[in-house]
């Protein structure tokens, strides 16, 4: 490959690293073309799976300001560049790797921070962003309801106390 082609490939990979919220490095040795196609589908719409040259990918990652361990680039490497929800793509990779042991998750990067393969698997165990936001909204609504009940209870208690004092004064006034 000519030098300008390599420079263009590095520039393209650098762009992908910069525009992606996450990138997961995998080893795909032993997977068929049909399995790779299935893997690309399982990642979802917001991820792009690309077979890359290790040296060019290392250079591109460095140029994008990402520090990755050199051991991640041993053997044939493919990268899943994730622009959407990283949890969805991590789940797709994890589930595909369970069915196809030839796919090995090596590690990756999330929001500029390097992650190990175990951390990516933990990420896959999280619920999706939408589910977490729904739970947060539900918890906040519950706290608002508790606050409203508390604020409503204070005037009610005050009115009862005033009525009790009036009744007591009326009894004392009638007893004299």
């Amino acid at each position: 490959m000519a030098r300008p082609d390599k420079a263009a490939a590095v520039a393209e990979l650098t762009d992908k690293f910069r525009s992606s919220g996450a990138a997961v490095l995998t080893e795909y040795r032993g997977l068929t073309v049909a399995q790779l196609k299935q893997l690309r589908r399982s990642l979802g719409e917001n991820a792009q799976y690309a077979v890359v040259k290790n040296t060019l990918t290392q250079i591109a990652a460095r140029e994008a300001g990402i520090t990755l361990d050199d051991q991640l680039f041993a053997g044939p490497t493919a990268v899943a560049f994730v622009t959407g929800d990283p949890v969805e793509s991590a789940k797709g990779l994890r589930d595909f790797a369970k069915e196809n042991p030839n796919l090995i998750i090596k590690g990756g990067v999330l929001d500029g921070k390097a992650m190990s393969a175990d951390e990516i698997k933990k990420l896959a165990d999280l619920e999706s962003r939408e589910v977490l936001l729904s739970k947060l909204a539900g918890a906040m609504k519950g706290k608002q309801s508790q606050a409203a009940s508390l604020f409503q209870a204070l005037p009610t208690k005050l009115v009862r106390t005033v009525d009790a004092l009036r009744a007591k004064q009326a009894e004392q006034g009638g007893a004299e």
Side-chain angles (χ1 to χ4, degrees):
M1 188 175 352
R3 185 81 185 135
D5 291 344
K6 288 183 180 181
V10 168
E12 183 182 346
L13 287 170
T14 303
D15 264 357
K16 286 183 180 180
F17 273 115
R18 286 184 179 149
S19 64
S20 300
V24 180
L25 282 77
T26 64
E27 183 175 322
Y28 63 93
R29 187 184 335 219
L31 293 177
T32 66
V33 173
Q35 288 172 322
L36 286 172
K37 209 173 185 181
Q38 181 185 359
L39 171 59
R40 285 184 173 98
R41 279 194 301 266
S42 70
L43 289 176
E45 295 177 8
N46 298 320
Q48 183 181 15
Y49 192 72
V51 175
V52 295
K53 291 193 178 284
N54 290 338
T55 307
L56 300 180
T57 306
Q58 284 176 302
I59 294 168
R62 248 182 274 128
E63 286 183 9
I66 297 169
T67 306
L68 293 171
D69 188 7
D70 290 340
Q71 293 176 350
L72 295 177
F73 297 99
T77 303
V79 182
F81 293 102
V82 182
T83 55
D85 185 10
V87 174
E88 178 186 346
S89 297
K91 283 181 184 190
L93 283 168
R94 179 200 59 196
D95 295 344
F96 187 85
K98 282 181 184 177
E99 294 172 16
N100 301 284
N102 287 336
L103 180 75
I104 299 168
I105 298 172
K106 296 180 178 182
V109 62
L110 177 65
D111 293 329
K113 179 189 171 280
M115 296 180 72
S116 69
D118 289 335
E119 289 172 323
I120 291 170
K121 289 174 185 168
K122 286 180 187 174
L123 180 66
D125 291 337
L126 289 176
E127 292 174 337
S128 72
R129 183 176 190 272
E130 290 78 21
V131 171
L132 292 174
L133 287 174
S134 297
K135 286 184 176 184
L136 178 65
M140 289 174 69
K141 184 178 178 185
K143 292 297 178 188
Q144 288 175 341
S145 296
Q146 286 177 342
S149 297
L150 176 67
F151 292 138
Q152 193 175 24
L154 292 174
T156 304
K157 203 170 192 181
L158 177 67
V159 168
R160 286 183 189 148
T161 304
V162 170
D163 283 345
L165 284 173
R166 258 195 228 137
K168 189 173 184 180
Q169 285 178 349
E171 284 178 14
Q172 287 177 354
E176 290 179 23

